[in-house]
Amino acid sequence: MKVLILGATGFIGLPIAQAFVRAGHVVYGQTRSEEKAKQLVAEEIIPVVCGPADVNKYMALIPTLDALIDAMGGTDIKAAGEALLSTVAIAASTLRHPTAPRLAYIYTSGTWAHGENRTAVVCDTTPVTSPAELVAWRPAQEQRVVTNPYVNGIVIRPSLLYGRAGSLLAPLFRRAHEGRAYVLAAERAALAGGRIFDASNDVNESTDAFLERLVEVSGAQGPYEYLKPTNLFEATLNTTTILRPYLARTLLGWRPRKAGLNDHLDIYYNAWKASEGLL
Ligand SMILES: *[C@@H]1O[C@H](CO)[C@@H](O)[C@H](O)[C@H]1NC(C)=O
Ligand SMILES: *[C@@H]1O[C@H](CO)[C@@H](O)[C@H](O)[C@H]1NC(C)=O
Ligand SMILES: *[C@@H]1O[C@H](CO)[C@@H](O)[C@H](O)[C@H]1NC(C)=O
């Protein structure tokens, strides 16, 4: 397959791009920076240097592309994601051969879409009715993606604790797994199209248990204490969702293989220290 990852040097985009390379695909990666473009070349990723929504810069790929992955980061992703979908959809409808399969369009959402609920167990297909305030706009974008008639829309919601939560340790070990979920969704786009997948484990990992364990493995002075959130992002970090995803397991054969965060926290903590030059 031929795939294009938007945000290919990003926190989520790079492991996705690497996973596609490992799976033997031809991988294009968008980045704004000439410097990062060289890193992509070294990873066997063909760089496309432009802004993620500068569709005219990669228009030539659209007729023969199999999958486009929106893994854009930044502060403007709400407007950018919406504009990108409509521009790509128009390009795909006009530039692709009428009998070509629809372009798989994979949008990166997040499990914050489920919002706070400490009693109800939710899964991929649970209707989303009260998303976390920070991402209140996301469910509408998810729906635009999966219902767009010109692309084969797929939504993946990486889980927060391991994804974009800003956690310094968790991302180090989980990213590769999520990358694999994207590869499987693109490879099985005929099955995955029109669906929303929660890409998370099904382990109960409470913040208190995590913090207790972190005090233990880091040797920090306990006990820990909570600070009052000072902005919407910090408030959203406190979102609790009891998630039991099933769709990626049944349709894509994907499941996270790592143990829960707390079980091997000592290893992850050391990995983080090593990567920061703190060992
Ligand atoms: C949690 O979900 C249940 C079932 O949908 C609902 O009845 C309840 O009001 C929700 N709780 C909160 C705090 O939103
Ligand atoms: C995980 O949390 C849910 C909801 O509170 C609960 O029903 C379940 O028993 C918990 N599972 C474990 C293994 O603690
Ligand atoms: C986190 O959310 C819970 C439930 O909504 C609330 O009781 C608690 O005060 C919040 N914690 C912080 C630090 O805001």
Side-chain angles (χ1 to χ4, degrees):
M1 285 194 317
K2 192 158 134 186
V3 303
L4 168 64
I5 290 101
L6 303 178
T9 56
F11 182 66
I12 284 198
L14 183 59
I16 294 172
Q18 289 166 328
F20 274 101
V21 169
R22 274 199 303 276
H25 300 296
V26 176
V27 184
Y28 290 81
Q30 171 275 330
T31 175
R32 291 177 191 273
S33 138
E34 291 287 354
E35 210 41 51
K36 287 181 176 172
K38 287 181 208 154
Q39 293 171 16
L40 292 180
V41 175
E43 295 272 354
E44 304 177 16
I45 297 161
I46 305 162
V48 178
V49 182
C50 63
D54 297 344
V55 180
N56 56 329
K57 296 277 172 50
Y58 49 84
M59 201 65 99
L61 290 175
I62 300 283
T64 56
L65 199 62
D66 296 291
L68 179 146
I69 287 128
D70 173 357
M72 291 191 274
T75 48
D76 187 33
I77 47 174
K78 176 175 183 283
E82 193 174 341
L84 179 75
L85 174 64
S86 44
T87 315
V88 169
I90 292 167
S93 69
T94 53
L95 299 176
R96 290 169 77 86
H97 192 273
T99 61
R102 276 180 306 155
L103 172 65
Y105 187 102
I106 307 186
Y107 173 68
T108 303
S109 182
T111 54
W112 271 339
H114 287 292
E116 167 88 15
N117 195 317
R118 295 184 181 221
T119 50
V121 177
V122 297
C123 68
D124 317 67
T125 45
T126 305
V128 160
T129 53
S130 52
E133 190 187 339
L134 184 70
V135 294
W137 52 273
R138 267 232 163 105
Q141 173 67 3
E142 292 182 341
Q143 288 305 314
R144 278 190 286 273
V145 170
V146 296
T147 58
N148 188 290
Y150 303 113
V151 295
N152 190 17
I154 299 166
V155 172
I156 296 189
R157 295 184 186 134
S159 69
L160 280 172
L161 191 53
Y162 304 106
R164 284 182 168 170
S167 161
L168 293 174
L169 343 161
L172 299 175
F173 64 93
R174 189 50 173 278
R175 296 191 299 164
H177 276 290
E178 281 164 359
R180 184 77 189 131
Y182 283 79
V183 173
L184 289 167
E187 288 177 347
R188 298 180 193 186
L191 262 179
R195 296 183 201 272
I196 300 176
F197 297 88
D198 283 318
S200 99
N201 70 15
D202 44 18
V203 181
N204 288 354
E205 292 173 313
S206 85
T207 310
D208 282 316
F210 169 72
L211 292 173
E212 266 165 35
R213 187 93 174 94
L214 187 58
V215 166
E216 201 178 299
V217 304
S218 68
Q221 278 291 326
Y224 61 85
E225 60 182 283
Y226 287 97
L227 302 175
K228 242 190 144 35
T230 57
N231 56 46
L232 190 53
F233 177 75
E234 287 176 7
T236 308
L237 278 178
N238 185 36
T239 306
T240 294
T241 306
I242 307 166
L243 190 54
R244 293 296 178 269
Y246 72 100
L247 265 189
R249 286 139 171 94
T250 53
L251 288 184
L252 308 177
W254 177 85
R255 67 168 54 243
R257 289 179 208 149
K258 286 279 185 192
L261 174 62
N262 293 347
D263 285 355
H264 290 170
L265 193 59
D266 48 342
I267 295 173
Y268 313 137
Y269 183 73
N270 279 333
W272 169 74
K273 275 175 82 173
S275 70
E276 294 285 310
L278 298 173
L279 271 191

